[in-house]
Structure formats: C-alpha cells, structure tokens
Amino acid sequence: MTPYDKLENKLSWVYLINLIFYVMPLFIVHFALWQYLSMAAALVLFLVCYFWAYRSRRSEMHWPIAGIVLVATLITPVNPGSVSMFAYAGFFIGFAYALPRYLLLMALLIALLVLLELTLTIHWNLFLIMGAPIVLAVSLLGRAEQAKLRHRMAEQQSEDEIKQLATMVERERIARDLHDILGHTLSSVILKADLATKLLVHQQTEAAQHQLSELSQIARDALSQVRQSVSGYKHQGLTAEIAKLLSRLREAGFKAELKGEVPTLDNRRETAVILALTELVTNVMRHSKGDSCQLSFTCKNNILSVCLTDNGSSIVVKEGNGITGLRERLAAIGGSLTTQQTDGFSAAIQLPLQESV
C-alpha cells in the first residue's frame, strides 16, 4: 500500500473515539431489544465501510462513503447519535475530492441532515443544530489531510527528481572520465604500435618486443581504470533512461506514470530493455492519439514483465518500424515482446532475469 494516494491507517482505530455520540445514548436511554440489535448491526456495517475507506485510494472512496451515509441515514430514527457517522462521511469527502466536488457533496450531505430533521421524528432537539457544524468541521479536517498528502507527494517527487539528476550527473562524469582515460590511452597505444612496427621493419626485434610489452601494460592499466570508472554505474543506466523517456512523454503532452520498482539488470538485459522502451515510447509519441501513458515493472518467478500502455484511440505500430527488430533482440536473450491495440496501445516485454541453462 502506498502512502501517497491513501490515508495513513495506523491511527484509524484511535479516530473511532468520535463515535462517542453514537454510543452515549446507549447508557442514558432505554431501547427495545430490536433497537439494540439494529444499532449493533449498523455499527458493524459502519466499521466495515470505515476501514474500507481507509484502505481505498481517493478515486475509489465513493463506495465506502456512500455506505457510511446509507447506514447513518437508516439508523438515525433509532439513534440520532448517527451524526458522528455523518461526520466521518464528511471527513472522507473532504479528503477524497477536489474543491468543486467537495462543496457539492457537502451541500448534499447537509441537505440530507435537514431532510431527516424535517421528515423524521428524531429524539434529539440538537440533531441538526449540532450535527451540521460538526459534520462541516470534520470535513475541513479531511481537507487538511488532503493538503498534507499533496505536500508529501510534492516532496517525494522532488526527491525522485534529485535522484534522477544525481544519476544524470554521475553518467556525465563517467563519460568524461572514459573520454579522458581512453583518449590518452589510445594515443599511447597508437604511438607504441607504430614504433614497434618501425622497429620490426628495421629488424630491431628486441626493441620492438620491449615496445609491445609496454603497449600490453598500457592496455591492462587502461582496462583497470575503465573498470574503476564504471564501478557502480552499469545498474544506474536503466533508471536514468526511464526518467528521460518519461520526461519526453510529459513534454509531448502525456500524463506519464511509473509503477513498480525499476529492477537491477546485467548490462545485456539492461541494454535490451532500454532499446526496446526507447523504440516503443517513440512509437507512442508519434502515433498515439491519447494523453496518458503508464510504464510498469513487475517481477514474478524470476521473470521481469515490463508493460507500456496508453489510452490512445488510434495507434499504428508496424512490424517493419522496429518492432520486428525488438522481438529478435529480446529473443536472443530469452525474452519476448507482445503488442495489443484494444482500448489503447499496450506493449508487454517478458524477460528472464537469469540465463537459461
């Protein structure tokens, strides 16, 4: 469960203390047996909807909110302490919705309280007078919780961007190091090789052998330096390339979303995935008529699944436009590529994380 689109539920039990308005009448009013049973059933149903809402994404909270409102409405003629249940509904409305819909739904919720007051015989004169301010006040707490959520999301996005920038800077540093190392080394190799060739032409075998020995040592030193320079780098390439691809999609007007954790791969698989995603993203940018794109990574049973989808209504992906080449490249390392063009474009890469024996 991600904390960035759901409520933090570690204190959800503590917040139930606000049900005191619902429980209090049980100790000061005498009810018939069927009323006790109905109130107990309503409480159970409320708790189901309450924890359902806590475990739901904001976009999915409408069902548990509707359940809470329904339960509270039905139990109000028996126990007007149901106003506390309406308050929880107000909180979830405040948390789940943008301002225009929040205002509309809260107006409807208050109107429901007024309707219950006017149409039912409620044995509490303060049901509406106290209930409406309580529901409104608690809904503002939901708005505050939504603001905290947005702040956390912004902080997380900033951290991700900093990580991506650090990865880019590291790649540039390594590129400069490799250029400096290989530029000097290859110049030395050329000079030594040319000199050894000239010495051999003049039958100066011993001197030529000495130059070749130095050339061999230069190559070994260069190899060691290159290994040191790229140490820790080979598994950063995929993350950085994905960040660039998502950035390209956003610049092209897509709402780009990354799901799952970017895996650590060996160089061969990493290169294959980067090339495949670059080709697929380019096709989406060229042909998709949609405005939303999602890239997801999942690992199960030692198989990496990479899926790129968009919501475009029309996209043309031809085998001759690079897809055939991608399939062949992936097949060489035991992978596969499948595409589908129903309700948008979808491309799925399946790749074993280890060499097949």
mmCIF file with all atom_site columns, all heavy atoms in Angstrom, residues 109-131:
data_model
loop_
_atom_site.group_PDB
_atom_site.id
_atom_site.type_symbol
_atom_site.label_atom_id
_atom_site.label_alt_id
_atom_site.label_comp_id
_atom_site.label_asym_id
_atom_site.label_entity_id
_atom_site.label_seq_id
_atom_site.pdbx_PDB_ins_code
_atom_site.Cartn_x
_atom_site.Cartn_y
_atom_site.Cartn_z
_atom_site.occupancy
_atom_site.B_iso_or_equiv
_atom_site.pdbx_formal_charge
_atom_site.auth_seq_id
_atom_site.auth_comp_id
_atom_site.auth_asym_id
_atom_site.auth_atom_id
_atom_site.pdbx_PDB_model_num
ATOM 1   N N   . LEU A 1 109 ? -24.870 16.606 1.614  1.00 0.00 ? 109 LEU A N   1
ATOM 2   C CA  . LEU A 1 109 ? -24.870 15.935 2.914  1.00 0.00 ? 109 LEU A CA  1
ATOM 3   C C   . LEU A 1 109 ? -25.615 16.769 3.957  1.00 0.00 ? 109 LEU A C   1
ATOM 4   O O   . LEU A 1 109 ? -26.409 16.229 4.749  1.00 0.00 ? 109 LEU A O   1
ATOM 5   C CB  . LEU A 1 109 ? -23.430 15.678 3.360  1.00 0.00 ? 109 LEU A CB  1
ATOM 6   C CG  . LEU A 1 109 ? -23.238 14.800 4.595  1.00 0.00 ? 109 LEU A CG  1
ATOM 7   C CD1 . LEU A 1 109 ? -23.841 13.417 4.368  1.00 0.00 ? 109 LEU A CD1 1
ATOM 8   C CD2 . LEU A 1 109 ? -21.760 14.671 4.952  1.00 0.00 ? 109 LEU A CD2 1
ATOM 9   N N   . ILE A 1 110 ? -25.370 18.063 3.982  1.00 0.00 ? 110 ILE A N   1
ATOM 10  C CA  . ILE A 1 110 ? -26.097 18.931 4.910  1.00 0.00 ? 110 ILE A CA  1
ATOM 11  C C   . ILE A 1 110 ? -27.578 18.952 4.572  1.00 0.00 ? 110 ILE A C   1
ATOM 12  O O   . ILE A 1 110 ? -28.445 18.945 5.467  1.00 0.00 ? 110 ILE A O   1
ATOM 13  C CB  . ILE A 1 110 ? -25.504 20.358 4.886  1.00 0.00 ? 110 ILE A CB  1
ATOM 14  C CG1 . ILE A 1 110 ? -24.047 20.340 5.355  1.00 0.00 ? 110 ILE A CG1 1
ATOM 15  C CG2 . ILE A 1 110 ? -26.327 21.291 5.771  1.00 0.00 ? 110 ILE A CG2 1
ATOM 16  C CD1 . ILE A 1 110 ? -23.850 19.802 6.757  1.00 0.00 ? 110 ILE A CD1 1
ATOM 17  N N   . ALA A 1 111 ? -27.905 18.963 3.274  1.00 0.00 ? 111 ALA A N   1
ATOM 18  C CA  . ALA A 1 111 ? -29.308 18.920 2.863  1.00 0.00 ? 111 ALA A CA  1
ATOM 19  C C   . ALA A 1 111 ? -29.974 17.636 3.345  1.00 0.00 ? 111 ALA A C   1
ATOM 20  O O   . ALA A 1 111 ? -31.148 17.637 3.737  1.00 0.00 ? 111 ALA A O   1
ATOM 21  C CB  . ALA A 1 111 ? -29.408 19.028 1.335  1.00 0.00 ? 111 ALA A CB  1
ATOM 22  N N   . LEU A 1 112 ? -29.216 16.529 3.346  1.00 0.00 ? 112 LEU A N   1
ATOM 23  C CA  . LEU A 1 112 ? -29.762 15.269 3.858  1.00 0.00 ? 112 LEU A CA  1
ATOM 24  C C   . LEU A 1 112 ? -30.068 15.363 5.343  1.00 0.00 ? 112 LEU A C   1
ATOM 25  O O   . LEU A 1 112 ? -31.113 14.866 5.807  1.00 0.00 ? 112 LEU A O   1
ATOM 26  C CB  . LEU A 1 112 ? -28.763 14.139 3.586  1.00 0.00 ? 112 LEU A CB  1
ATOM 27  C CG  . LEU A 1 112 ? -29.130 12.765 4.141  1.00 0.00 ? 112 LEU A CG  1
ATOM 28  C CD1 . LEU A 1 112 ? -30.449 12.272 3.536  1.00 0.00 ? 112 LEU A CD1 1
ATOM 29  C CD2 . LEU A 1 112 ? -28.018 11.748 3.868  1.00 0.00 ? 112 LEU A CD2 1
ATOM 30  N N   . LEU A 1 113 ? -29.194 16.012 6.093  1.00 0.00 ? 113 LEU A N   1
ATOM 31  C CA  . LEU A 1 113 ? -29.450 16.196 7.527  1.00 0.00 ? 113 LEU A CA  1
ATOM 32  C C   . LEU A 1 113 ? -30.705 17.028 7.753  1.00 0.00 ? 113 LEU A C   1
ATOM 33  O O   . LEU A 1 113 ? -31.520 16.730 8.646  1.00 0.00 ? 113 LEU A O   1
ATOM 34  C CB  . LEU A 1 113 ? -28.248 16.870 8.199  1.00 0.00 ? 113 LEU A CB  1
ATOM 35  C CG  . LEU A 1 113 ? -26.932 16.085 8.241  1.00 0.00 ? 113 LEU A CG  1
ATOM 36  C CD1 . LEU A 1 113 ? -25.848 16.887 8.943  1.00 0.00 ? 113 LEU A CD1 1
ATOM 37  C CD2 . LEU A 1 113 ? -27.114 14.743 8.927  1.00 0.00 ? 113 LEU A CD2 1
ATOM 38  N N   . VAL A 1 114 ? -30.854 18.090 6.961  1.00 0.00 ? 114 VAL A N   1
ATOM 39  C CA  . VAL A 1 114 ? -32.050 18.926 7.073  1.00 0.00 ? 114 VAL A CA  1
ATOM 40  C C   . VAL A 1 114 ? -33.297 18.105 6.739  1.00 0.00 ? 114 VAL A C   1
ATOM 41  O O   . VAL A 1 114 ? -34.327 18.184 7.429  1.00 0.00 ? 114 VAL A O   1
ATOM 42  C CB  . VAL A 1 114 ? -31.946 20.143 6.137  1.00 0.00 ? 114 VAL A CB  1
ATOM 43  C CG1 . VAL A 1 114 ? -33.250 20.931 6.121  1.00 0.00 ? 114 VAL A CG1 1
ATOM 44  C CG2 . VAL A 1 114 ? -30.780 21.039 6.556  1.00 0.00 ? 114 VAL A CG2 1
ATOM 45  N N   . LEU A 1 115 ? -33.231 17.292 5.693  1.00 0.00 ? 115 LEU A N   1
ATOM 46  C CA  . LEU A 1 115 ? -34.369 16.461 5.289  1.00 0.00 ? 115 LEU A CA  1
ATOM 47  C C   . LEU A 1 115 ? -34.737 15.461 6.383  1.00 0.00 ? 115 LEU A C   1
ATOM 48  O O   . LEU A 1 115 ? -35.929 15.259 6.681  1.00 0.00 ? 115 LEU A O   1
ATOM 49  C CB  . LEU A 1 115 ? -34.025 15.724 3.992  1.00 0.00 ? 115 LEU A CB  1
ATOM 50  C CG  . LEU A 1 115 ? -35.121 14.828 3.405  1.00 0.00 ? 115 LEU A CG  1
ATOM 51  C CD1 . LEU A 1 115 ? -36.325 15.674 3.011  1.00 0.00 ? 115 LEU A CD1 1
ATOM 52  C CD2 . LEU A 1 115 ? -34.603 14.052 2.203  1.00 0.00 ? 115 LEU A CD2 1
ATOM 53  N N   . LEU A 1 116 ? -33.732 14.858 7.007  1.00 0.00 ? 116 LEU A N   1
ATOM 54  C CA  . LEU A 1 116 ? -34.018 13.920 8.106  1.00 0.00 ? 116 LEU A CA  1
ATOM 55  C C   . LEU A 1 116 ? -34.664 14.630 9.282  1.00 0.00 ? 116 LEU A C   1
ATOM 56  O O   . LEU A 1 116 ? -35.590 14.097 9.919  1.00 0.00 ? 116 LEU A O   1
ATOM 57  C CB  . LEU A 1 116 ? -32.709 13.249 8.544  1.00 0.00 ? 116 LEU A CB  1
ATOM 58  C CG  . LEU A 1 116 ? -32.048 12.311 7.534  1.00 0.00 ? 116 LEU A CG  1
ATOM 59  C CD1 . LEU A 1 116 ? -30.702 11.816 8.056  1.00 0.00 ? 116 LEU A CD1 1
ATOM 60  C CD2 . LEU A 1 116 ? -32.956 11.138 7.198  1.00 0.00 ? 116 LEU A CD2 1
ATOM 61  N N   . GLU A 1 117 ? -34.200 15.835 9.565  1.00 0.00 ? 117 GLU A N   1
ATOM 62  C CA  . GLU A 1 117 ? -34.768 16.616 10.670 1.00 0.00 ? 117 GLU A CA  1
ATOM 63  C C   . GLU A 1 117 ? -36.233 16.953 10.408 1.00 0.00 ? 117 GLU A C   1
ATOM 64  O O   . GLU A 1 117 ? -37.058 16.933 11.341 1.00 0.00 ? 117 GLU A O   1
ATOM 65  C CB  . GLU A 1 117 ? -33.945 17.893 10.851 1.00 0.00 ? 117 GLU A CB  1
ATOM 66  C CG  . GLU A 1 117 ? -34.506 18.885 11.835 1.00 0.00 ? 117 GLU A CG  1
ATOM 67  C CD  . GLU A 1 117 ? -34.313 18.461 13.285 1.00 0.00 ? 117 GLU A CD  1
ATOM 68  O OE1 . GLU A 1 117 ? -33.479 17.569 13.539 1.00 0.00 ? 117 GLU A OE1 1
ATOM 69  O OE2 . GLU A 1 117 ? -34.999 19.023 14.167 1.00 0.00 ? 117 GLU A OE2 1
ATOM 70  N N   . LEU A 1 118 ? -36.549 17.244 9.158  1.00 0.00 ? 118 LEU A N   1
ATOM 71  C CA  . LEU A 1 118 ? -37.909 17.677 8.826  1.00 0.00 ? 118 LEU A CA  1
ATOM 72  C C   . LEU A 1 118 ? -38.889 16.520 8.656  1.00 0.00 ? 118 LEU A C   1
ATOM 73  O O   . LEU A 1 118 ? -40.094 16.685 8.890  1.00 0.00 ? 118 LEU A O   1
ATOM 74  C CB  . LEU A 1 118 ? -37.884 18.507 7.528  1.00 0.00 ? 118 LEU A CB  1
ATOM 75  C CG  . LEU A 1 118 ? -37.126 19.841 7.597  1.00 0.00 ? 118 LEU A CG  1
ATOM 76  C CD1 . LEU A 1 118 ? -37.105 20.519 6.238  1.00 0.00 ? 118 LEU A CD1 1
ATOM 77  C CD2 . LEU A 1 118 ? -37.737 20.757 8.645  1.00 0.00 ? 118 LEU A CD2 1
ATOM 78  N N   . THR A 1 119 ? -38.383 15.370 8.269  1.00 0.00 ? 119 THR A N   1
ATOM 79  C CA  . THR A 1 119 ? -39.294 14.266 7.921  1.00 0.00 ? 119 THR A CA  1
ATOM 80  C C   . THR A 1 119 ? -39.373 13.177 8.975  1.00 0.00 ? 119 THR A C   1
ATOM 81  O O   . THR A 1 119 ? -40.327 12.390 8.967  1.00 0.00 ? 119 THR A O   1
ATOM 82  C CB  . THR A 1 119 ? -38.873 13.636 6.584  1.00 0.00 ? 119 THR A CB  1
ATOM 83  O OG1 . THR A 1 119 ? -37.523 13.149 6.699  1.00 0.00 ? 119 THR A OG1 1
ATOM 84  C CG2 . THR A 1 119 ? -38.956 14.649 5.456  1.00 0.00 ? 119 THR A CG2 1
ATOM 85  N N   . LEU A 1 120 ? -38.404 13.079 9.859  1.00 0.00 ? 120 LEU A N   1
ATOM 86  C CA  . LEU A 1 120 ? -38.389 12.006 10.848 1.00 0.00 ? 120 LEU A CA  1
ATOM 87  C C   . LEU A 1 120 ? -38.648 12.544 12.243 1.00 0.00 ? 120 LEU A C   1
ATOM 88  O O   . LEU A 1 120 ? -38.422 13.727 12.525 1.00 0.00 ? 120 LEU A O   1
ATOM 89  C CB  . LEU A 1 120 ? -37.031 11.283 10.827 1.00 0.00 ? 120 LEU A CB  1
ATOM 90  C CG  . LEU A 1 120 ? -36.629 10.587 9.530  1.00 0.00 ? 120 LEU A CG  1
ATOM 91  C CD1 . LEU A 1 120 ? -35.235 9.972  9.693  1.00 0.00 ? 120 LEU A CD1 1
ATOM 92  C CD2 . LEU A 1 120 ? -37.640 9.522  9.131  1.00 0.00 ? 120 LEU A CD2 1
ATOM 93  N N   . THR A 1 121 ? -39.089 11.660 13.088 1.00 0.00 ? 121 THR A N   1
ATOM 94  C CA  . THR A 1 121 ? -39.227 12.006 14.496 1.00 0.00 ? 121 THR A CA  1
ATOM 95  C C   . THR A 1 121 ? -37.917 11.646 15.189 1.00 0.00 ? 121 THR A C   1
ATOM 96  O O   . THR A 1 121 ? -37.649 10.482 15.504 1.00 0.00 ? 121 THR A O   1
ATOM 97  C CB  . THR A 1 121 ? -40.387 11.236 15.143 1.00 0.00 ? 121 THR A CB  1
ATOM 98  O OG1 . THR A 1 121 ? -41.596 11.539 14.442 1.00 0.00 ? 121 THR A OG1 1
ATOM 99  C CG2 . THR A 1 121 ? -40.537 11.610 16.612 1.00 0.00 ? 121 THR A CG2 1
ATOM 100 N N   . ILE A 1 122 ? -37.068 12.642 15.377 1.00 0.00 ? 122 ILE A N   1
ATOM 101 C CA  . ILE A 1 122 ? -35.744 12.432 15.950 1.00 0.00 ? 122 ILE A CA  1
ATOM 102 C C   . ILE A 1 122 ? -35.759 12.874 17.407 1.00 0.00 ? 122 ILE A C   1
ATOM 103 O O   . ILE A 1 122 ? -36.116 14.021 17.720 1.00 0.00 ? 122 ILE A O   1
ATOM 104 C CB  . ILE A 1 122 ? -34.674 13.219 15.152 1.00 0.00 ? 122 ILE A CB  1
ATOM 105 C CG1 . ILE A 1 122 ? -34.647 12.734 13.701 1.00 0.00 ? 122 ILE A CG1 1
ATOM 106 C CG2 . ILE A 1 122 ? -33.302 13.062 15.795 1.00 0.00 ? 122 ILE A CG2 1
ATOM 107 C CD1 . ILE A 1 122 ? -33.668 13.467 12.821 1.00 0.00 ? 122 ILE A CD1 1
ATOM 108 N N   . HIS A 1 123 ? -35.367 11.968 18.280 1.00 0.00 ? 123 HIS A N   1
ATOM 109 C CA  . HIS A 1 123 ? -35.454 12.226 19.715 1.00 0.00 ? 123 HIS A CA  1
ATOM 110 C C   . HIS A 1 123 ? -34.203 12.940 20.218 1.00 0.00 ? 123 HIS A C   1
ATOM 111 O O   . HIS A 1 123 ? -33.556 12.514 21.188 1.00 0.00 ? 123 HIS A O   1
ATOM 112 C CB  . HIS A 1 123 ? -35.670 10.904 20.466 1.00 0.00 ? 123 HIS A CB  1
ATOM 113 C CG  . HIS A 1 123 ? -36.878 10.149 20.007 1.00 0.00 ? 123 HIS A CG  1
ATOM 114 N ND1 . HIS A 1 123 ? -38.163 10.557 20.270 1.00 0.00 ? 123 HIS A ND1 1
ATOM 115 C CD2 . HIS A 1 123 ? -36.989 9.006  19.258 1.00 0.00 ? 123 HIS A CD2 1
ATOM 116 C CE1 . HIS A 1 123 ? -39.027 9.710  19.733 1.00 0.00 ? 123 HIS A CE1 1
ATOM 117 N NE2 . HIS A 1 123 ? -38.337 8.759  19.105 1.00 0.00 ? 123 HIS A NE2 1
ATOM 118 N N   . TRP A 1 124 ? -33.861 14.008 19.536 1.00 0.00 ? 124 TRP A N   1
ATOM 119 C CA  . TRP A 1 124 ? -32.737 14.858 19.974 1.00 0.00 ? 124 TRP A CA  1
ATOM 120 C C   . TRP A 1 124 ? -32.913 16.205 19.291 1.00 0.00 ? 124 TRP A C   1
ATOM 121 O O   . TRP A 1 124 ? -32.750 16.335 18.088 1.00 0.00 ? 124 TRP A O   1
ATOM 122 C CB  . TRP A 1 124 ? -31.396 14.225 19.584 1.00 0.00 ? 124 TRP A CB  1
ATOM 123 C CG  . TRP A 1 124 ? -30.206 14.985 20.115 1.00 0.00 ? 124 TRP A CG  1
ATOM 124 C CD1 . TRP A 1 124 ? -30.159 15.734 21.244 1.00 0.00 ? 124 TRP A CD1 1
ATOM 125 C CD2 . TRP A 1 124 ? -28.911 15.083 19.528 1.00 0.00 ? 124 TRP A CD2 1
ATOM 126 N NE1 . TRP A 1 124 ? -28.934 16.285 21.409 1.00 0.00 ? 124 TRP A NE1 1
ATOM 127 C CE2 . TRP A 1 124 ? -28.129 15.895 20.371 1.00 0.00 ? 124 TRP A CE2 1
ATOM 128 C CE3 . TRP A 1 124 ? -28.329 14.554 18.372 1.00 0.00 ? 124 TRP A CE3 1
ATOM 129 C CZ2 . TRP A 1 124 ? -26.803 16.199 20.092 1.00 0.00 ? 124 TRP A CZ2 1
ATOM 130 C CZ3 . TRP A 1 124 ? -27.022 14.853 18.110 1.00 0.00 ? 124 TRP A CZ3 1
ATOM 131 C CH2 . TRP A 1 124 ? -26.255 15.657 18.956 1.00 0.00 ? 124 TRP A CH2 1
ATOM 132 N N   . ASN A 1 125 ? -33.233 17.203 20.081 1.00 0.00 ? 125 ASN A N   1
ATOM 133 C CA  . ASN A 1 125 ? -33.543 18.521 19.530 1.00 0.00 ? 125 ASN A CA  1
ATOM 134 C C   . ASN A 1 125 ? -32.349 19.194 18.865 1.00 0.00 ? 125 ASN A C   1
ATOM 135 O O   . ASN A 1 125 ? -32.526 20.100 18.049 1.00 0.00 ? 125 ASN A O   1
ATOM 136 C CB  . ASN A 1 125 ? -34.077 19.433 20.650 1.00 0.00 ? 125 ASN A CB  1
ATOM 137 C CG  . ASN A 1 125 ? -35.402 18.943 21.204 1.00 0.00 ? 125 ASN A CG  1
ATOM 138 O OD1 . ASN A 1 125 ? -36.171 18.282 20.481 1.00 0.00 ? 125 ASN A OD1 1
ATOM 139 N ND2 . ASN A 1 125 ? -35.691 19.254 22.459 1.00 0.00 ? 125 ASN A ND2 1
ATOM 140 N N   . LEU A 1 126 ? -31.138 18.740 19.228 1.00 0.00 ? 126 LEU A N   1
ATOM 141 C CA  . LEU A 1 126 ? -29.928 19.374 18.699 1.00 0.00 ? 126 LEU A CA  1
ATOM 142 C C   . LEU A 1 126 ? -29.333 18.603 17.524 1.00 0.00 ? 126 LEU A C   1
ATOM 143 O O   . LEU A 1 126 ? -28.185 18.848 17.142 1.00 0.00 ? 126 LEU A O   1
ATOM 144 C CB  . LEU A 1 126 ? -28.886 19.502 19.817 1.00 0.00 ? 126 LEU A CB  1
ATOM 145 C CG  . LEU A 1 126 ? -29.313 20.310 21.043 1.00 0.00 ? 126 LEU A CG  1
ATOM 146 C CD1 . LEU A 1 126 ? -28.198 20.329 22.079 1.00 0.00 ? 126 LEU A CD1 1
ATOM 147 C CD2 . LEU A 1 126 ? -29.692 21.728 20.643 1.00 0.00 ? 126 LEU A CD2 1
ATOM 148 N N   . PHE A 1 127 ? -30.090 17.660 16.965 1.00 0.00 ? 127 PHE A N   1
ATOM 149 C CA  . PHE A 1 127 ? -29.554 16.828 15.878 1.00 0.00 ? 127 PHE A CA  1
ATOM 150 C C   . PHE A 1 127 ? -28.997 17.678 14.738 1.00 0.00 ? 127 PHE A C   1
ATOM 151 O O   . PHE A 1 127 ? -27.868 17.489 14.285 1.00 0.00 ? 127 PHE A O   1
ATOM 152 C CB  . PHE A 1 127 ? -30.645 15.894 15.353 1.00 0.00 ? 127 PHE A CB  1
ATOM 153 C CG  . PHE A 1 127 ? -30.225 15.096 14.141 1.00 0.00 ? 127 PHE A CG  1
ATOM 154 C CD1 . PHE A 1 127 ? -29.421 13.971 14.279 1.00 0.00 ? 127 PHE A CD1 1
ATOM 155 C CD2 . PHE A 1 127 ? -30.626 15.483 12.853 1.00 0.00 ? 127 PHE A CD2 1
ATOM 156 C CE1 . PHE A 1 127 ? -29.032 13.240 13.161 1.00 0.00 ? 127 PHE A CE1 1
ATOM 157 C CE2 . PHE A 1 127 ? -30.237 14.754 11.737 1.00 0.00 ? 127 PHE A CE2 1
ATOM 158 C CZ  . PHE A 1 127 ? -29.433 13.637 11.899 1.00 0.00 ? 127 PHE A CZ  1
ATOM 159 N N   . LEU A 1 128 ? -29.792 18.636 14.278 1.00 0.00 ? 128 LEU A N   1
ATOM 160 C CA  . LEU A 1 128 ? -29.340 19.458 13.154 1.00 0.00 ? 128 LEU A CA  1
ATOM 161 C C   . LEU A 1 128 ? -28.465 20.619 13.621 1.00 0.00 ? 128 LEU A C   1
ATOM 162 O O   . LEU A 1 128 ? -27.456 20.932 12.985 1.00 0.00 ? 128 LEU A O   1
ATOM 163 C CB  . LEU A 1 128 ? -30.554 20.007 12.386 1.00 0.00 ? 128 LEU A CB  1
ATOM 164 C CG  . LEU A 1 128 ? -30.231 20.854 11.149 1.00 0.00 ? 128 LEU A CG  1
ATOM 165 C CD1 . LEU A 1 128 ? -29.448 20.031 10.117 1.00 0.00 ? 128 LEU A CD1 1
ATOM 166 C CD2 . LEU A 1 128 ? -31.507 21.402 10.521 1.00 0.00 ? 128 LEU A CD2 1
ATOM 167 N N   . ILE A 1 129 ? -28.829 21.236 14.734 1.00 0.00 ? 129 ILE A N   1
ATOM 168 C CA  . ILE A 1 129 ? -28.096 22.411 15.211 1.00 0.00 ? 129 ILE A CA  1
ATOM 169 C C   . ILE A 1 129 ? -26.647 22.064 15.530 1.00 0.00 ? 129 ILE A C   1
ATOM 170 O O   . ILE A 1 129 ? -25.718 22.821 15.212 1.00 0.00 ? 129 ILE A O   1
ATOM 171 C CB  . ILE A 1 129 ? -28.800 23.008 16.447 1.00 0.00 ? 129 ILE A CB  1
ATOM 172 C CG1 . ILE A 1 129 ? -30.193 23.508 16.061 1.00 0.00 ? 129 ILE A CG1 1
ATOM 173 C CG2 . ILE A 1 129 ? -27.969 24.134 17.055 1.00 0.00 ? 129 ILE A CG2 1
ATOM 174 C CD1 . ILE A 1 129 ? -31.004 24.010 17.229 1.00 0.00 ? 129 ILE A CD1 1
ATOM 175 N N   . MET A 1 130 ? -26.426 20.901 16.148 1.00 0.00 ? 130 MET A N   1
ATOM 176 C CA  . MET A 1 130 ? -25.057 20.468 16.450 1.00 0.00 ? 130 MET A CA  1
ATOM 177 C C   . MET A 1 130 ? -24.468 19.617 15.330 1.00 0.00 ? 130 MET A C   1
ATOM 178 O O   . MET A 1 130 ? -23.261 19.674 15.075 1.00 0.00 ? 130 MET A O   1
ATOM 179 C CB  . MET A 1 130 ? -25.029 19.674 17.768 1.00 0.00 ? 130 MET A CB  1
ATOM 180 C CG  . MET A 1 130 ? -25.238 20.503 19.012 1.00 0.00 ? 130 MET A CG  1
ATOM 181 S SD  . MET A 1 130 ? -24.930 19.548 20.519 1.00 0.00 ? 130 MET A SD  1
ATOM 182 C CE  . MET A 1 130 ? -23.209 19.137 20.330 1.00 0.00 ? 130 MET A CE  1
ATOM 183 N N   . GLY A 1 131 ? -25.333 18.839 14.686 1.00 0.00 ? 131 GLY A N   1
ATOM 184 C CA  . GLY A 1 131 ? -24.836 17.903 13.678 1.00 0.00 ? 131 GLY A CA  1
ATOM 185 C C   . GLY A 1 131 ? -24.207 18.592 12.484 1.00 0.00 ? 131 GLY A C   1
ATOM 186 O O   . GLY A 1 131 ? -23.119 18.217 12.038 1.00 0.00 ? 131 GLY A O   1
#
